[in-house]
Amino acid sequence: MNSSFLKDDVILLLKDISGLVEPLPTAEREKRIQSGIHYSEMLPLEYRPSEEYIRIYETSLDIFGQITADAVVRVADKIVTKKGKEVVIVSLARAGTPLGILIRRYIKKKYKFECPHYSISIIRDRGIDRNAIEFILKRHKAESIQFVDGWTGKGAIYKELRKEISSFEGVSDELAVLADPAFLTDLCGTHEDIMIPSSCLNCTVSGLLSRTFLRNDIIKENDFHGAAFYRNLISEDKTYEFIDYIEKKFQYNLNPEPKEYGEPGIEEVKRISEIYGIENLNYIKPGIGETTRVLLRRVPWKVLIDRRFKNSRELDHIAQLSREKNVDVEYTYLNNYKCCGLIKQLSDI
């Protein structure tokens, strides 16, 4: 699989589908999704950020780089404590991939050992790439596998992971993430809904890879799930600008955060669904990372922002994207999350 990731940083267990699938504009893709076509059967046109948006992204690196680095450090320390020197990092493509690289680099520098890092696909309602898991299990002990992603929204991917991994004996379904505002796992850097700068961008901070793809006319029985490589965006690639910047901020003797307890995020999502009359919970995307994704590659109806963060620099990119896409922003009260994206329903498009 072609990408701008260095081969020493990650082994991508993905089939290269570059040129085989025509990316679709956001509105067309949204209509197809809501008519019943699964999102993994299409590729979105990548959003090309405005100059103002890139400026905000670069500012976010400066403001939130240390917070992100600290989250990497804390979750990496927890992973080594739990798994030891035989740990194998398996990141969930694509948001988890650069963060898996950062965890691997931290482990190498602090603990003085190399841990393998694979990146594989998992797709909501379609499952994990079982061929990729079998590939890893032929080379490593089941108990050594540690799944890694960026953050938890309402927990849909974590739920998918737990369901799928139950059939692989000895493989833990515990997911390590930088931020867990949904309160689903203790294996996290923080339970705060933090701004992870890489969530601001799509492929240009993720090795120029597309979202993962699964359609049986292209992905055959023995294939890995697919992804496309956006070679045309090489001049805009910021993958290693992000990775190297965060790595330089690692603190190698950071104290662990105190244990936190909170309400499962799905309960807050259910309350939002009742308030706004949204029957399908898939149309509610809570948290900074998920709200950003809605604005970048879905058709948003509304963005909710917690009143306490109305003027927060942390949400500058959310405000900028909302302005660019003419999306209404409503200030309200949220518990677990700082913001939430609501997707426009088909009947309103």
Side-chain angles (χ1 to χ4, degrees), residues 195-332:
M195 165 61 182
I196 302 171
S198 60
S199 69
C200 286
L201 301 174
N202 278 335
C203 75
T204 52
V205 78
S206 297
L208 299 181
L209 292 178
S210 72
R211 293 200 66 181
T212 57
F213 177 89
L214 185 62
R215 203 174 70 202
N216 60 18
D217 62 323
I218 292 176
I219 307 300
K220 304 302 182 182
E221 183 180 355
N222 296 319
D223 288 338
F224 297 137
H225 291 186
F229 174 49
Y230 294 108
R231 191 180 300 276
N232 60 308
L233 296 176
I234 285 176
S235 63
E236 300 176 40
D237 189 14
K238 296 182 180 295
T239 300
Y240 279 95
E241 174 187 298
F242 168 72
I243 290 171
D244 294 342
Y245 187 90
I246 300 301
E247 183 180 7
K248 288 175 183 175
K249 292 185 173 292
F250 286 164
Q251 301 181 76
Y252 292 90
N253 294 292
L254 195 64
N255 292 325
E257 282 192 330
K259 193 173 180 66
E260 297 179 71
Y261 299 91
E263 177 186 57
I266 192 64
E267 298 305 320
E268 183 159 16
V269 170
K270 288 176 180 176
R271 282 198 296 274
I272 291 170
S273 75
E274 292 172 2
I275 293 169
Y276 293 94
I278 301 172
E279 293 183 6
N280 188 338
L281 298 188
N282 287 333
Y283 293 172
I284 302 172
K285 304 293 186 180
I288 296 173
E290 293 304 300
T291 303
T292 305
R293 285 178 168 185
V294 167
L295 287 163
L296 288 176
R297 62 188 188 217
R298 301 296 295 268
V299 178
W301 166 50
K302 188 188 294 284
V303 167
L304 309 179
I305 294 180
D306 189 299
R307 287 181 182 274
R308 294 167 293 179
F309 299 93
K310 184 173 183 177
N311 297 311
S312 170
R313 297 295 304 279
E314 198 168 2
L315 302 180
D316 278 355
H317 74 291
I318 297 290
Q320 177 65 24
L321 279 175
S322 297
R323 285 191 294 269
E324 290 181 7
K325 294 173 178 284
N326 198 29
V327 176
D328 181 46
V329 175
E330 180 177 325
Y331 296 95
T332 184

Side-chain angles (χ1 to χ4, degrees), residues 3-256:
S3 78
S4 66
F5 290 122
L6 300 176
K7 288 182 169 55
D8 287 345
D9 278 330
V10 62
I11 298 170
L12 300 170
L13 301 186
L14 298 165
K15 177 180 179 178
D16 195 333
I17 61 164
S18 304
L20 300 180
V21 180
E22 188 69 28
L24 295 174
T26 301
E28 176 60 29
R29 186 169 166 272
E30 188 67 46
K31 288 180 181 178
R32 295 191 186 191
I33 289 172
Q34 296 193 28
S35 69
I37 298 173
H38 197 271
Y39 71 86
S40 66
E41 297 183 13
M42 300 169 282
L43 291 180
L45 276 173
E46 287 286 314
Y47 168 75
R48 285 182 177 270
S50 64
E51 290 184 11
E52 174 64 14
Y53 187 75
I54 288 295
R55 185 191 66 77
I56 290 171
Y57 163 74
E58 290 171 348
T59 300
S60 79
L61 268 180
D62 181 51
I63 298 173
F64 304 109
Q66 190 63 61
I67 294 171
T68 301
D70 290 351
V72 172
V73 166
R74 288 192 170 104
V75 74
D77 283 338
K78 289 179 181 180
I79 288 170
V80 173
T81 298
K82 194 174 189 69
K83 295 287 188 180
K85 290 189 174 182
E86 291 190 342
V87 64
V88 176
I89 301 296
V90 180
S91 60
L92 304 182
R94 69 185 167 178
T97 311
L99 305 178
I101 290 171
L102 283 165
I103 289 169
R104 181 182 183 276
R105 288 187 174 191
Y106 173 81
I107 290 172
K108 180 180 179 180
K109 287 197 175 181
K110 179 174 181 178
Y111 295 99
K112 310 302 181 187
F113 71 88
E114 298 253 10
C115 61
H117 174 209
Y118 300 91
S119 197
I120 71 172
S121 167
I122 187 169
I123 296 170
R124 193 192 73 235
D125 299 329
R126 293 291 175 90
I128 202 161
D129 187 338
R130 301 181 76 83
N131 290 332
I133 295 292
E134 294 289 359
F135 180 95
I136 296 168
L137 287 174
K138 288 177 181 176
R139 292 158 177 81
H140 306 281
K141 294 178 181 178
E143 295 78 11
S144 65
I145 292 174
Q146 177 59 64
F147 294 104
V148 168
D149 205 0
W151 56 84
T152 58
K154 55 180 177 287
I157 288 298
Y158 196 12
K159 181 180 178 182
E160 193 75 35
L161 178 66
R162 297 180 73 178
K163 173 175 67 73
E164 289 287 294
I165 293 305
S166 63
S167 61
F168 291 99
E169 186 176 354
V171 180
S172 171
D173 62 9
E174 192 167 21
L175 181 64
V177 294
L178 264 63
D180 176 41
F183 281 87
L184 294 174
T185 178
D186 289 329
L187 207 56
C188 64
T190 180
H191 286 292
E192 185 185 348
D193 184 16
I194 65 171
M195 165 61 182
I196 302 171
S198 60
S199 69
C200 286
L201 301 174
N202 278 335
C203 75
T204 52
V205 78
S206 297
L208 299 181
L209 292 178
S210 72
R211 293 200 66 181
T212 57
F213 177 89
L214 185 62
R215 203 174 70 202
N216 60 18
D217 62 323
I218 292 176
I219 307 300
K220 304 302 182 182
E221 183 180 355
N222 296 319
D223 288 338
F224 297 137
H225 291 186
F229 174 49
Y230 294 108
R231 191 180 300 276
N232 60 308
L233 296 176
I234 285 176
S235 63
E236 300 176 40
D237 189 14
K238 296 182 180 295
T239 300
Y240 279 95
E241 174 187 298
F242 168 72
I243 290 171
D244 294 342
Y245 187 90
I246 300 301
E247 183 180 7
K248 288 175 183 175
K249 292 185 173 292
F250 286 164
Q251 301 181 76
Y252 292 90
N253 294 292
L254 195 64
N255 292 325

